[in-house]
Amino acid sequence: FEKELPPVDIFICTADPTKEPPINTVNTVLSTLAHDYPVEKLSCYVSDDGGSALTFYALLEASRFAKFWVPFCHRYSVQQRCPEAYFNQRNDYQIKNSSFAMEFENIKDKYEDMKNSINSTVEWGVVPQDKCKCHTGFKEWSSGISSRDHHSILE
């Protein structure tokens, strides 16, 4: 039946990293990517009307974490696909299988590291230069760019 499913495009909108914390946007994106839907038929787009480097950084971190989160969700049929909600729920009943327990703890640690990195960067208010060097997309931001005056950045 998967061949009969239509392609799905999901659009997530954000505008201000101070009013809409980037970690919330990240959790929405990760939830979307982990849907039980054929990967080749699911597309996720984020529209950041504020053109924030903080949101771009958060999404970059999310893309790295997604390489672990999405396969984990599929492998263990995780129903709560929002990592924040999943790791905050009581999971005692699930930790029976030792390979699951080890992977669960590993994924949870990776999520906490990502979350702390994103939140501390947002608190700082600027993406540190060493982190900016890791992706060419950061070259798009300069001192003349603001939330009201910025060009489109597609990544």
Side-chain angles (χ1 to χ4, degrees):
F1 73 92
E2 287 185 6
K3 292 179 180 178
E4 297 174 17
L5 293 172
V8 174
D9 293 331
I10 298 174
F11 292 86
I12 299 166
C13 299
T14 187
D16 185 344
T18 59
K19 294 179 183 172
E20 303 167 322
I23 193 65
N24 292 353
T25 303
V26 161
N27 276 298
T28 303
V29 168
L30 291 167
S31 300
T32 299
L33 296 177
H35 269 78
D36 185 15
Y37 206 80
V39 176
E40 66 279 358
K41 292 187 175 194
L42 180 65
S43 297
C44 178
Y45 302 92
V46 177
S47 173
D48 177 12
D49 291 343
S52 170
L54 297 171
T55 302
F56 184 80
Y57 168 72
L59 292 169
L60 178 62
E61 291 295 312
S63 71
R64 293 180 179 137
F65 177 70
K67 293 174 185 169
F68 302 99
W69 176 246
V70 173
F72 174 81
C73 289
H74 290 233
R75 190 167 27 262
Y76 295 107
S77 299
V78 171
Q79 294 302 305
Q80 175 53 270
R81 293 180 182 97
C82 171
E84 182 72 20
Y86 180 72
F87 292 123
N88 282 333
Q89 72 185 10
R90 196 176 160 104
N91 288 303
D92 298 341
Y93 65 93
Q94 293 179 340
I95 305 181
K96 296 175 186 169
N97 177 331
S98 63
S99 66
F100 171 81
M102 289 179 11
E103 192 170 357
F104 174 88
E105 289 301 325
N106 183 36
I107 296 288
K108 184 176 182 181
D109 289 345
K110 287 181 187 310
Y111 176 72
E112 290 299 325
D113 289 346
M114 177 196 68
K115 179 180 169 182
N116 291 335
S117 178
I118 291 169
N119 287 340
S120 64
T121 299
V122 170
E123 282 180 32
W124 185 272
V126 64
V127 180
Q129 282 294 25
D130 63 319
K131 294 180 180 180
C132 287
K133 291 178 183 177
C134 68
H135 196 283
T136 58
F138 287 107
K139 292 179 184 175
E140 302 292 337
W141 280 271
S142 67
S143 59
I145 291 179
S146 71
S147 63
R148 296 190 183 271
D149 182 21
H150 61 86
H151 55 281
S152 298
I153 300 168
L154 300 173
E155 289 291 327

